[in-house]
């Protein structure tokens, strides 16, 4: 009970601290509060009776006290009356069974019978007040300020952190040029400057008056409206951009002009030839493309080409009418070369002016290739000329090949020994790659042959149609060789194995090439040679018939590797093939079935062997020992020989001072301290330190460097113009900070480095209400 | 018949004027130019020697004041104009090119404590011992006009320093507290205090213009934020700081000139450890000013000398003194970073070159390249003992020289004692404090 009362008291104290409204509410609601407290009492009561059975008198007194307190307020009685609990002590009219100290008070009678309805709402309000926590004591001023400061400091340092990258950049910059931002020179017309000016001194006023009298412009605009308009017409940036554009265009133009001039100047015939060829090639390519994409346009193009040819025909360009040609004609009598050149030109003229015939089938059959080859004057016309068969666009790209072929044709016409010679020489010129192609060609043809089977009678022209153009080219190249081989075969046949060959030839190819005419013969002949080869190999491996195919290939490769073997040797080789095969075959077998371990062992051994061989001459250890011996010898102090020849005895050429005298005047050098590396066999310690040099040497590694090599490198790279080009030395010697005399350097600005400076001025910020600031701080404080 | 001749393009060998050097084709084959390191070393040595030979930094002395020069101010727009305030209340405006005084104003009674120019250069402010703040026009009075201040503000207490905002019409004064004034108003728009001691100097941050720094006689440096109208942080050093100066290129860096002969460069975000302690002076440092490039600063000291420190070095690169120069009270680095001015006790303002051996005037391109090359060589070989010795050699007045010796001994003794204490005490019981941290007593939030 006492505790309850104390609690009540404390509540009251709290209420005092509340606002006036709170206090009032509390006052009005104090009574119900007490009521609540008392309500609990009966519940407590039974327990207390059971506990303190003994002193019932004290208990009674207590009860009385309670009742007295409760009777202080009239409402209690009503509450008590509502009690439904069965008890002796509590009657309906609050009359106890004892009946002691019960009195009717006037105030009881005056109480309204009904409970006021407003009480419940007030109670609610009170509950709310109670449930609310009390407001904490405000912090003292210093603490609040401290918190404000802390918040402000954090904010400011955050704002300052945006400068970090810029500061870092400037500190590490190779070069800083101040002022950082170049100031645009302010352009102010005179009248603006003079606006504020007024004549003050008597002298000034006098002059001013004079000027006014003469109607000189003093404050009038000095710029005419036209001038002003021109000033405003184009912004500076626009003008700059336009100028830059013009500049670029001009430089480009001059560049191209210069290039054209340069190219025009080039005298090299070869260059021009190459250029022409390149152009022709390009045009051809374009034409090809056009043909694929737009045949109509291609045809037009073709017509154009034709027209060009006609023009060529009509003009007398390549006849003997030019200046050059005339001069050559003069020389032609004496000079073979000049004559040759003239002939060439005439030939060219012939080529160009030759009327193109529409190629008939029969012609093609007879000598299509030859015709085509003859009709190839240059790369431009080629496209048109080489149009043959169902696909007129099949173009031979290399006019060189064509020419070669031409030569070959010519040579074929010549008697046999001549042809032989020509082919031989050609053979020698030919690189390895070509021969490889050749061999491939052989194989292909062989395959084709197999496919066609025994039906070898088909004309080569038909086959040509089926084959693609590339093979055609290669074929033309082959002719010389085939001829040669053919000849060889003849010899072979005659000498060695004519019978075998005939048998085989009858087996495989019915019509032997010899009977037919030379043009058509080519192909079969070549085939023959191939057959020959096979036969030869077969003969070679007559003993071991199951020769693996790779072996044959290997043999072929072997042949390839001899690029320009003379023809006579070739024959021997062909005969010796067997030998090659027999020597090769075991190695092939061994490589085919080796165990892995064996291989590895072998490799290791090989590796070691190789290393040994590589370093055969080096004996590092001996070298080192020798070096050490030398350094030790060099470091030893020398004896001093003070002998003077001729003193006390005879001197002269070929006379040496006596041994005795030498012994006497020889001052032996004292033994120096033992060397530091005396007991270190693997080390040479240099004991010489040049004191004079050391005075100029850096003793400790300077600060920014982390390794002595870094420092040495910086020292060893020269920066002067003696060792560097002008540009490089300029770059190497750029000063870190450059300032211009007479230019004011202003502090760095946020706008200059691309940051947005605070939009509000500092002044406007301070002039705001300081209370707002504090509220703002409070908010921040809460966040924290 | 055309005869072909060898011909050269005259552009390749003819010089434009006869003053030009002949064009010499060079062969850069390294075998033709051996011994590059020794040769460059010799060149560097010669360059260093020549630098010392030509080191004549003193340019002019501006005399006219009748008392010690107490404060200096630069004109923000004109390089030739300098303002100075003396201890007798006189303010003089000087023309540096003519080296004469162009205007004299008796501004205050007693000391002129502080002087600052408006950011636009149209007027300047002075504060004096007579408790007034006065605004003056930069141009002299017109014909028949009296020399009068534009505005005069009479305060309650003595103002000891003044600085103007870098962008707006605001200025700050210090005395008992830091006041921020609007130029249009006669009372401060904001007063900030922290503790009760006289504040000797206040400086606006030139980059983040709402920041201020001040130093008070109770050994502390206080930073303020003008916009939030509150102090930010306070650092207490061993001894009193006389003045501070903000780095004009690095917003958060400032340097404090301290009574304990040292200067401290702080990053304002981390005040507990200075970024660098600059020591070389042998007496209290009275003033400090940054070069506008932000790479160096100059300090004026009571030991009758001024020193130039690189920002990132703890030792000075240069010391200037003359026989007649007494205690240097104020120092300024001109806005083109070429010159230094210092005002001293004996009534003179002296003008110095910032680089002692620099050639003044326009340089030809050859001179310029030679200068750059020599500079680079000196830099490259600066660690070599001979070059280092020559480059560092300075003549000092006897007083300063002996003081340096004395202080070296004192410092050595202190260091020895510390080492001994460390050696003879339980490991960990005596903390090892770095030189930088030694001087900071506390940081107050």
């Amino acid at each position: 009970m006492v505790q309850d009362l104390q609690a009540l008291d404390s509540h009251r104290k709290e209420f005092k601290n509340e606002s006036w409204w709170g206090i009032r509410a509390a006052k009005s609601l104090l009574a119900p509060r007490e009521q609540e407290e008392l309500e609990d009492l009966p519940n407590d009561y039974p327990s207390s009776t059971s506990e303190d059975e003994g002193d019932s008198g004290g208990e009674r007194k207590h009860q009385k006290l309670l009742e007295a307190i409760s009777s202080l307020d009239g409402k209690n009685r009503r509450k008590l009356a509502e009690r439904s609990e069965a008890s002796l002590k509590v009657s309906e009219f609050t009359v106890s069974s004892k009946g002691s100290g019960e009195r009717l008070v006037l105030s009881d009678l005056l109480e309204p019978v009904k409970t006021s309805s407003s009480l419940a709402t007030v109670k609610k309000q009170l509950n709310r007040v109670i449930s609310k926590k009390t407001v904490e004591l405000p912090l003292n001023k210093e603490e609040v300020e401290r918190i404000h400061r802390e918040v402000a400091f954090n904010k400011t340092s955050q704002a300052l952190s945006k400068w970090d990258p810029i500061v870092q950049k400037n500190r590490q910059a190779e070069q800083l040029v101040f002022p950082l931002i170049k100031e645009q020179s302010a352009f102010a017309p005179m009248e603006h400057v003079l606006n504020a000016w007024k004549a003050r001194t008597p002298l000034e006023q006098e002059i001013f008056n004079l000027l006014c009298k003469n109607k000189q412009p003093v404050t009038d605009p000095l710029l005419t409206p036209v001038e002003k308009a021109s000033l405003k017409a184009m912004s500076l940036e626009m003008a700059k951009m336009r100028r830059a554009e013009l500049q670029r265009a001009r430089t480009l133009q001059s560049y191209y002009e210069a290039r054209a001039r340069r190219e025009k100047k080039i005298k090299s015939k070869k260059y021009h030839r190459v250029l022409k060829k390149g152009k022709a090639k390009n045009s051809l390519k374009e034409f090809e493309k056009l043909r694929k994409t737009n045949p109509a346009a291609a045809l037009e193009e073709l017509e154009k080409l034709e027209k060009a040819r006609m023009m060529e025909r009509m003009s007398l360009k390549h006849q003997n009418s030019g200046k050059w040609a005339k001069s050559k004609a003069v020389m032609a009598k004496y000079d073979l070369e000049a004559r040759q050149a003239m002939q060439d030109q005439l030939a060219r003229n012939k080529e160009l002016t030759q009327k193109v015939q529409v190629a008939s089938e029969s012609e093609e059959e007879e000598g299509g290739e030859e015709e085509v080859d003859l009709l190839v004057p240059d790369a431009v016309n080629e496209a048109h000329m080489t149009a043959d068969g169902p696909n007129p666009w099949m173009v031979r790209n290399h006019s060189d090949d064509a020419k070669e072929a031409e030569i070959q044709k010519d040579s074929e016409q010549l008697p046999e020994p001549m042809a032989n010679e020509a082919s031989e020489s050609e053979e020698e010129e030919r690189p390895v790659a070509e021969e490889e192609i050749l061999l491939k060609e052989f194989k292909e043809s062989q395959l084709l042959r197999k496919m066609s089977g025994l039906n070898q009678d088909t004309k080569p022209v038909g086959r040509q149609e089926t084959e693609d153009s590339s093979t055609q080219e290669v074929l033309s190249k082959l002719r010389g060789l085939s001829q040669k081989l053919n000849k060889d075969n003849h010899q072979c046949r005659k000498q060695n194995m004519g019978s075998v060959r005939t048998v085989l030839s009858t087996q495989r190819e019915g019509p032997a090439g010899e009977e037919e005419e030379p043009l058509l013969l080519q192909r079969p002949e070549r085939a023959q040679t191939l057959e020959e080869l096979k036969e030869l190999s077969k003969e070679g491996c007559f003993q071991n018939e199951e020769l693996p195919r790779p072996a044959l290939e290997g043999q072929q490769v072997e042949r390839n590797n001899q690029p320009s073997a003379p023809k006579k040797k070739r024959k021997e080789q062909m005969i010796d093939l067997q030998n090659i095969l027999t020597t090769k075959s075991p190695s092939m077998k061994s490589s085919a079935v080796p165990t892995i371990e064996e291989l590895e062992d072998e490799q290791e051994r090989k590796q070691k062997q190789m290393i040994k061989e590589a370093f055969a001459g080096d004996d590092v250890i001996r070298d080192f020992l020798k070096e050490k011996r030398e350094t030790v010898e060099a470091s030893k102090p020398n004896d001093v020989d003070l002998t003077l020849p001729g003193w006390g005895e005879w001197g002269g050429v070929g006379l040496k001072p006596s041994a005795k005298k030498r012994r006497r005047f020889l001052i032996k050098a004292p033994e120096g301290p033992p060397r530091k590396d005396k007991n270190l066999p693997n080390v040479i310690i240099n004991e010489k330190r040049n004191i004079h040099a050391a005075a100029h040497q850096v003793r400790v590694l300077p600060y920014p460097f982390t390794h002595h090599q870094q420092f040495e490198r910086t020292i060893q790279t020269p920066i002067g113009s003696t060792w560097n080009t002008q540009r490089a030395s300029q770059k190497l010697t750029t000063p870190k900070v450059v300032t211009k005399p007479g230019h004011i350097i202003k502090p760095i600005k946020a706008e200059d480095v691309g940051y947005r400076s605070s939009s509000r001025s500092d002044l406007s910020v301070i002039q705001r209400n300081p209370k707002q600031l504090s509220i703002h701080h409070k908010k921040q404080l809460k966040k924290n | 018949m055309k005869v072909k001749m060898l011909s050269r393009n005259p552009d390749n060998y003819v010089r434009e004027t006869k003053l030009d050097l002949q064009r010499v084709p060079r062969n850069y084959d390294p075998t033709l130019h051996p011994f590059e390191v020794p040769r460059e070393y010799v060149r560097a040595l010669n360059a260093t020697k020549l630098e010392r030979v030509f080191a004549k930094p003193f340019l002019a002395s501006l005399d006219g004041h009748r008392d010690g020069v107490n404060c200096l101010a630069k004109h923000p727009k004109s390089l030739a104009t300098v303002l100075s305030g003396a201890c007798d209340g006189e303010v003089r405006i000087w023309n540096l090119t003519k080296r004469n005084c162009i205007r004299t104003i008796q501004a205050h009674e007693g000391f002129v404590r502080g002087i600052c120019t408006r950011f636009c250069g149209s007027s300047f402010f002075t504060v004096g011992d007579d408790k007034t703040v006065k605004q003056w026009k930069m141009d002299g009075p017109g014909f028949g006009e009296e020399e009068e201040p534009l505005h005069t503000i009479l305060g309650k207490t003595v103002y000891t320093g003044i600085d103007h905002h870098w962008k707006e019409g605001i200025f700050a004064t210090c005395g008992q507290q830091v006041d921020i004034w609007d130029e249009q108003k006669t009372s401060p728009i904001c007063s900030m205090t922290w503790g009760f001691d006289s504040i000797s100097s206040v400086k606006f941050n030139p980059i983040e213009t709402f920041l201020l720094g001040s130093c008070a006689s109770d050994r502390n440096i206080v930073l303020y934020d003008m916009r939030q109208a509150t102090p930010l942080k306070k650092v207490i050093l061993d001894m009193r700081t006389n003045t501070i100066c903000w780095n004009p290129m690095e917003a958060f860096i400032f340097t404090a000139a301290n009574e304990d002969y040292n200067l401290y460069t702080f990053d304002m975000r981390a005040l507990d450890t200075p970024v660098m302690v600059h020591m070389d002076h042998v007496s209290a440092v009275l003033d400090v000013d940054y070069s506008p490039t932000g790479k160096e600063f100059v300090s004026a000291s009571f030991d009758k000398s001024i020193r130039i420190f690189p920002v990132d070095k703890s030792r000075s690169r240069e010391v200037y003194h003359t026989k007649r120069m007494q205690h240097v009270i104020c120092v300024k680095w001109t806005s083109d970073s070429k010159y230094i001015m210092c005002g001293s006790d004996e009534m003179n303002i002296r003008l110095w070159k910032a680089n002692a051996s620099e050639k003044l005037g326009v340089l030809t391109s050859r001179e310029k390249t030679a200068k750059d090359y020599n500079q680079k060589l000196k830099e490259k070989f600066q660690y070599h003992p001979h070059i280092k010795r020559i480059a560092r050699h300075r003549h000092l007045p006897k007083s300063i020289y002996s003081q340096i010796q004395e202080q070296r001994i004192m410092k050595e003794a202190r260091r020895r004692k510390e080492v001994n204490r460390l050696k003879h005490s339980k490991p960990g019981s005596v903390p090892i404090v770095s030189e930088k941290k030694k001087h900071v007593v506390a940081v107050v939030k």
Side-chain angles (χ1 to χ4, degrees), chain A residues 498-518:
Chain A
S499 61
V500 183
R501 198 222 145 255
T502 45
V503 171
L504 279 163
S505 66
T506 44
Q507 270 183 354
R508 293 219 168 179
E509 19 168 325
E514 278 183 282
E515 287 81 34
E516 291 180 51
E517 59 177 286

Side-chain angles (χ1 to χ4, degrees), chain A residues 145-146 148-164 166-167 170-172 174 176 178 180 200-202 267 694-700 702-705 711 714-726 730 732-751 757-758 760-768 773 777 780, chain B residues 4 26-28 30 33-37 39-41 43 45 75-79 137 142-143 145 165-170 180-182 185 189-190 193-194 205-211 223 225-233 248-253 267-271 275 292-295 335-338 358 361 369 372-373 375-377 379-381 383-386 444-445:
Chain A
E145 276 182 354
R146 196 172 64 83
H148 281 185
R149 283 198 297 261
E150 225 165 297
V151 169
F153 178 78
N154 287 340
K155 226 170 124 187
T156 314
S157 48
Q158 248 179 13
L160 284 174
S161 298
K162 77 175 176 187
W163 286 98
D164 270 334
I166 286 157
V167 167
N170 281 353
R171 279 181 188 170
Q172 290 167 351
E174 288 286 303
L176 280 177
F178 292 102
L180 290 173
R200 282 188 188 129
T201 61
K267 281 179 183 166
H696 293 274
Q697 279 165 348
V698 181
R699 256 158 252 154
V700 281
Y703 158 60
F705 301 99
F711 180 62
T714 55
I715 292 296
Q716 271 160 8
T717 40
I719 51 173
S721 56
T722 320
W723 297 275
N724 297 297
T725 58
Q726 196 188 5
Q730 261 175 10
L732 284 168
T733 56
T734 44
K736 271 207 156 181
V737 176
V738 177
T739 54
K740 288 175 192 161
H743 280 74
I744 292 174
I745 303 166
K746 285 187 175 158
I748 199 166
K749 276 183 201 159
E751 305 97 78
S757 62
S758 56
R760 263 193 232 101
S761 73
D762 299 342
L763 185 66
S764 67
V765 173
I766 344 168
Q767 282 169 346
R768 280 195 306 168
L773 269 175
H777 283 167
Q780 276 209 331
Chain B
K4 279 190 179 177
R26 290 200 59 85
N27 189 347
Y28 291 105
H33 308 284
F35 303 121
E36 58 265 23
V37 179
R39 283 165 79 185
E40 289 216 318
Y41 175 74
R43 285 177 195 181
L45 197 65
H75 193 285
K77 300 279 176 189
S78 152
L79 280 172
K137 266 174 79 173
F143 179 75
E145 280 177 27
H165 193 275
W166 286 81
K167 282 176 193 161
E168 288 159 38
I170 305 170
I180 292 172
W181 307 73
D182 191 348
K185 294 176 183 172
I189 48 175
C190 169
T193 55
W194 190 353
N205 188 323
I207 305 166
E208 293 294 348
T209 48
F210 57 88
L211 277 175
L223 302 172
D225 189 335
M226 190 179 85
R227 295 199 295 197
Q228 302 181 55
T230 169
L232 296 174
K233 225 170 206 187
M249 291 292 150
E250 297 169 7
F252 40 78
I253 300 285
D267 183 335
M268 72 151 278
R269 296 167 300 177
L271 289 171
V275 178
T293 60
K295 299 280 177 199
S335 313
D336 62 348
S337 86
K338 296 275 183 200
E358 194 182 30
T369 45
D372 290 347
Y373 180 43
Q375 191 58 43
K376 217 55 180 189
L377 280 179
E379 242 167 67
K380 187 178 160 187
F381 289 99
Y383 305 107
H384 286 69
H386 273 212
V444 185
K445 284 179 182 175

Side-chain angles (χ1 to χ4, degrees), chain A residues 232-487:
Chain A
K232 281 178 187 170
M234 199 184 276
S235 72
L236 193 65
E237 281 88 50
M238 281 272 288
K240 272 183 183 169
M241 268 170 62
R242 173 121 185 81
R243 202 178 62 171
E245 227 168 75
L246 282 175
Q247 243 168 5
R248 205 167 50 233
R250 228 175 297 137
T251 47
L252 269 180
Q253 193 190 355
S254 67
Y255 166 71
Y256 281 118
E257 272 173 9
R259 195 173 135 190
R261 225 176 292 136
R262 198 179 62 235
E263 275 173 5
K264 205 178 150 195
K265 256 189 187 171
I266 293 172
K267 281 179 183 166
S268 161
K269 277 180 190 164
K270 193 178 177 188
Y271 168 77
H272 283 291
R273 211 187 306 138
V274 169
L275 199 70
K276 217 189 260 174
K277 239 178 224 172
K279 266 184 198 166
K281 229 181 231 176
N282 268 343
S283 65
L284 208 66
K285 254 184 209 166
E286 273 166 33
F287 183 71
E288 278 284 309
K289 224 183 264 170
L290 205 65
R291 187 178 60 80
K292 272 173 196 160
T293 52
N294 190 2
L299 270 178
E300 267 176 37
E301 196 79 356
L302 209 62
E303 259 170 39
K304 259 184 209 169
L305 284 175
E306 172 69 1
K307 202 171 259 178
R309 199 188 59 81
M310 272 151 73
M311 289 290 283
E312 184 79 45
R313 282 186 72 190
M314 264 147 44
S315 72
L316 302 173
K317 215 173 179 184
H318 287 97
Q319 271 158 7
N320 278 352
S321 53
K323 206 174 170 186
W324 175 84
K326 275 172 187 166
S327 73
K328 285 286 165 198
V330 173
M331 297 296 291
K333 234 183 247 177
Y334 316 104
D335 194 354
L336 201 72
E337 273 181 30
R339 210 180 306 158
Q340 190 65 42
M342 270 186 68
Q343 274 171 4
D344 281 354
Q345 205 203 11
L346 283 174
R348 193 161 178 70
N349 183 37
K350 220 175 203 177
E351 274 171 21
L352 282 170
T353 50
Q354 196 160 24
K355 178 93 173 136
V356 182
Q357 305 289 332
V358 179
S360 66
E361 287 294 308
S362 63
E363 223 178 48
E364 213 179 343
E365 271 177 61
E366 275 181 326
E369 260 185 57
E370 193 179 19
E371 178 71 11
V372 164
D373 289 337
L374 275 172
L375 286 179
V376 177
D378 63 28
V380 185
N381 290 344
E382 197 180 36
H384 178 67
M385 296 307 197
T386 53
D388 62 338
N391 191 355
W393 314 116
M394 272 307 189
V395 175
R396 195 169 302 171
N397 284 334
H398 307 289
S399 56
D400 293 11
D401 294 355
K403 276 172 190 167
E404 256 178 52
E406 240 179 326
I407 291 163
Q408 282 176 16
K409 294 285 167 195
D410 291 342
S411 65
E412 266 180 315
Q413 253 73 8
L414 289 169
E416 264 207 1
M418 276 282 279
N420 194 5
E421 267 176 18
S423 63
E424 252 185 23
S425 63
E426 205 187 324
E427 185 63 30
E428 266 163 15
E429 276 168 21
R430 207 163 274 164
V432 188
E434 235 166 85
E435 212 154 41
E436 272 174 27
I437 296 165
L438 187 148
L439 269 167
K440 263 186 200 169
E441 191 52 43
F442 266 108
K443 262 188 234 166
E444 276 179 18
S445 64
Q446 197 185 2
L447 277 172
L448 270 170
R449 204 154 266 282
K450 275 178 185 170
M451 275 164 70
S452 58
L454 288 169
N455 202 6
Q456 287 293 324
D457 295 31
T458 49
K459 285 177 184 177
V461 180
R463 188 190 50 78
Q464 267 180 356
E465 278 171 3
T466 56
E467 267 182 0
D468 57 353
S469 61
S470 65
T471 52
Q472 273 180 27
E473 278 172 32
V474 180
L475 277 178
S476 66
K477 279 181 192 171
L478 285 179
R479 266 167 224 153
L481 182 65
S482 63
Q483 222 167 1
K484 177 71 204 134
L485 283 174
N486 193 11
K487 211 192 165 195

Side-chain angles (χ1 to χ4, degrees), chain B residues 60-63 72-73 75 78-84 92-104 138 334 341 349 351:
Chain B
S61 162
L62 310 174
D63 49 347
L72 277 173
H75 193 285
S78 152
L79 280 172
T81 315
V82 173
L83 300 90
S84 65
R92 276 174 186 258
I93 301 176
W94 305 87
N95 188 333
L96 284 183
T97 41
K98 293 179 194 159
R99 295 171 188 178
N100 62 357
C101 175
I102 50 176
R103 197 170 154 209
T104 311
M138 192 62 85
T334 56
M341 296 165 300
I349 298 165
L351 188 66

